[in-house]
Amino acid sequence: MIEIEIGSAAGAQMLGSLPEMFENIYETRALVQAEGVEIDDLNGSLSDVVDQAIVDRATWGLSYWEDFLGIPTDITKPYDQRRSVIKSKIRGTGTVTIELLRKVVSSYQNGAIDVSADPASYQITVSFSDVIGSPPNMADVYAAVGDILPAHLEVIYRFRFLSVSEVEALTIDQLEHTVLDYLAWG
């Protein structure tokens, strides 16, 4: 008789929960393997559906998030940029404060961000200080800040660039690493 290998995790679990006398019966092994494969597929599908409810893990469900929040869907953008726009829109509700602006802008970049206000001149300054250059999706940052900021305030964006003396102080390896980081970023 041909031995049926139980390759399914759910099938192995089902077979393990049966009395020992069923372990070597061909029909039992065939049945738990077939049902196990279906249960494994179902568990994978359910896990994927649950992932779509969590912005940081969503893939095909991002369009549902964008539709719900009134964000135009652009499938040409990478998932991380689309997630940033969604998280920004979710965070960008309520009274506009420096902390709210910091949260919204930080959803687009993982480095240090400083937001300061100069009420006398009606200006807000957003400084990206950790990463050299500007984030790859600055258009989304501009749009998100523009959506939540009152129209009478001007926003000034500041980016970190290397000065000539900083470049001259770098070794070739450090310079190469800095350039590669910048190219990956921008």
Side-chain angles (χ1 to χ4, degrees):
M1 184 180 288
I2 299 172
E3 179 72 22
I4 294 187
E5 192 67 35
I6 306 297
S8 158
Q13 186 178 5
M14 285 189 287
L15 189 61
S17 66
L18 292 174
E20 232 178 87
M21 65 182 186
F22 292 104
E23 247 181 56
N24 295 320
I25 298 175
Y26 177 85
E27 290 81 4
T28 302
R29 293 180 72 80
L31 184 64
V32 297
Q33 171 58 19
E35 289 178 352
V37 167
E38 294 299 319
I39 291 171
D40 289 345
D41 288 347
L42 180 62
N43 285 337
S45 296
L46 288 174
S47 177
D48 188 37
V49 169
V50 169
D51 284 348
Q52 304 317 304
I54 301 165
V55 175
D56 286 330
R57 295 193 321 226
T59 52
W60 55 264
L62 290 174
S63 59
Y64 294 107
W65 280 99
E66 291 163 335
D67 184 52
F68 177 72
L69 295 169
I71 300 168
T73 299
D74 183 358
I75 60 171
T76 62
K77 286 185 177 180
Y79 288 144
D80 62 331
Q81 289 184 14
R82 291 175 65 194
R83 288 182 187 118
S84 294
V85 173
I86 291 166
K87 289 192 291 189
S88 168
K89 188 77 166 189
I90 291 169
R91 292 176 184 171
T93 57
T95 304
V96 179
T97 63
I98 296 296
E99 187 55 33
L100 175 66
L101 280 171
R102 186 175 291 115
K103 284 180 182 178
V104 167
V105 175
S106 70
S107 67
Y108 292 95
Q109 198 243 359
N110 292 332
I113 295 168
D114 182 47
V115 179
S116 59
D118 182 4
S121 61
Y122 300 99
Q123 290 181 335
I124 303 288
T125 303
V126 177
S127 301
F128 298 85
S129 56
D130 270 3
V131 179
I132 297 171
S134 64
N137 53 342
M138 271 310 290
D140 294 332
V141 175
Y142 295 147
V145 171
D147 283 347
I148 63 171
L149 204 63
H152 71 282
L153 295 176
E154 176 187 17
V155 183
I156 298 169
Y157 295 93
R158 296 198 176 176
F159 305 101
R160 167 115 167 71
F161 293 99
L162 294 176
S163 66
V164 173
S165 60
E166 287 175 311
V167 172
E168 289 174 345
L170 295 174
T171 66
I172 294 296
D173 286 342
Q174 291 171 326
L175 184 59
E176 200 171 87
H177 180 72
T178 302
V179 169
L180 290 175
D181 282 350
Y182 176 74
L183 292 175
W185 178 254

